[in-house]
Amino acid sequence: MMADQTLDAKGLNCPLPILRAKKALKDMATGQTLEIIATDPGSMADFDAFCRTTGNQMLESKQDGKLYTFLIKRTA
Amino acid sequence: MADNSLFILLCSGEREKIQMAAMMASVAAVSERPVQVFVSMNAMLAFDTKMAVEERYHGGAFAKLLNDQKAPDPILLFQQGKDLGDLKMWACSMALDIQGWEMSHLDEKLFDGPMGLTKFLSDAESGQFVTL
């Protein structure tokens, strides 16, 4: 699934990937999707919690070695 | 009634503790949690706009690592929390008085004003309270 926007958060430490994702989502329309690519090992659990608390929808999350990719739909 | 607001009482001037306060405040704010930070004692000195950036913080071994690894400046994290969520920062009125400072000593975009401890504790009755 093609995302409407991609955020390259590789090399960023906690909490910058979450802050950058929030900033990107804020500027997107409801229903649009954001792909985030991160290397922070805590990001898998962090983005799960972020979606749970903000009401945005995690469509996909996967780990490929040290690379974590998330697809989030702005619903909130 | 309990709510999910986060109240942070920040007193330490150590980089490690200010960094953690900034991380907690910014993450909670962007996660839709209202956050209030009450800055007092040595922590106040780190927010002095007249202070050179390299003299802003002190701390231990981890503070040096944070600096060497170019971890984001806590003030930048607080500002992002304010820009992206409901984060308010208050300057302890007693600490301002003791320092002989006006609010103009602090970044006006970061601080929402002076506050007394009684009001802060009263507001914090129903939320989660963290001291650093």
Side-chain angles (χ1 to χ4, degrees), chain A residues 5 8 18 27 31 33-34 39 48 58 60 71:
Chain A
Q5 200 175 314
D8 183 355
I18 292 288
D27 295 334
T33 54
L34 175 67
T39 49
D48 270 347
M58 177 73 79
E60 197 179 305
L71 187 62

Side-chain angles (χ1 to χ4, degrees), chain A residues 1 4 28-33 59 72-76:
Chain A
M1 183 178 181
D4 292 298
M28 293 170 72
T30 302
Q32 287 193 307
T33 54
L59 298 177
I72 295 175
K73 182 179 180 182
R74 179 174 174 179
T75 53

